[in-house]
Amino acid sequence: MTFSIVARDPQTGALGIATATAGPMVGALVPHGRSGLGAAATQAMTNPYLAIDTLALLESQGAEAALQTALARDSGASQRQIIVVDAHGMAAGWTGADCFPYAGHLTAAGVAVAGNMLAGPAVLDDMLAGYQGDHSSGFAARLLRGLQAGAAAGGDSRGLGSAALRVYTTQAYPDLDLRIDASAEPMAALEQLFALAISGPYAEFFAQAPRRGAGGELKT
């Protein structure tokens, strides 16, 4: 009962997920990512291991093959929905036959969108168009813009109660990890938190977090 977007930035290789739903704490189980491998959103009757297993399989398989292998292990696949993008920008998606309508997904180069219990198919169309629009605002802002476009098109047919945005670059932890766990206006709250994260007083603090180089050395 969620709508999400996953994408890879072709300029930087960053991987990201943005998601929203009517219920609380969508950021707890839906968005998943691994730097240098891929990003996924697992929803409907959410199985976190479907995303975890798919991402692990990306070490040796492309997005479509990894997704199909993970789905074959899930006896409840007909109730699941998942989208994934790999480090090469290949995208794949699955919408089980038992997901609540309107349910569907779309894929394009470097991006996938999906949702279930949506107001209608325009939610997916507008999410994709919102992300694929003006590239000058940066990758994370484009993810947010795609999510906002989906919400404006009706989003979750029950309304919205939580939202999240996560971006991975080169580290084991996400460079950006924003969650609105419960709010009457989660999209507005996520936009405010995003502005704080990229230009507020704490932006420099987070930018100075210890990082590891390609050889494993710690840089502080």
Side-chain angles (χ1 to χ4, degrees), residues 104-175:
H105 63 272
L106 299 172
T107 63
V111 59
V113 297
N116 57 93
M117 203 176 279
L118 298 178
V123 176
L124 301 180
D125 293 333
D126 288 5
M127 285 177 71
L128 191 59
Y131 172 78
Q132 292 177 322
D134 180 17
H135 290 201
S136 63
S137 56
F139 179 58
R142 291 172 61 202
L143 288 170
L144 179 59
R145 188 171 65 232
L147 195 68
Q148 289 169 324
D156 189 321
S157 61
R158 302 166 299 164
L160 293 180
S162 64
L165 172 63
R166 193 176 293 173
V167 173
Y168 294 83
T169 58
T170 61
Q171 301 302 301
Y173 60 86
D175 281 47

Side-chain angles (χ1 to χ4, degrees), residues 4-84:
S4 303
I5 178 170
V6 300
R8 176 187 179 271
D9 182 4
Q11 275 71 50
T12 67
L15 298 154
I17 316 101
T19 182
T21 191
M25 297 173 286
V26 69
L29 296 178
V30 170
H32 297 262
R34 288 182 61 181
S35 297
L37 282 180
T42 177
Q43 51 200 47
M45 298 301 288
T46 307
N47 176 6
Y49 284 107
L50 186 54
I52 292 167
D53 290 350
T54 298
L55 291 175
L57 288 162
L58 291 179
E59 293 185 10
S60 59
Q61 303 178 22
E64 183 64 41
L67 177 57
Q68 292 303 320
T69 301
L71 283 166
R73 301 172 179 173
D74 186 351
S75 61
S78 68
Q79 299 176 302
R80 317 293 190 205
Q81 187 174 56
I82 180 172
I83 46 176
V84 59

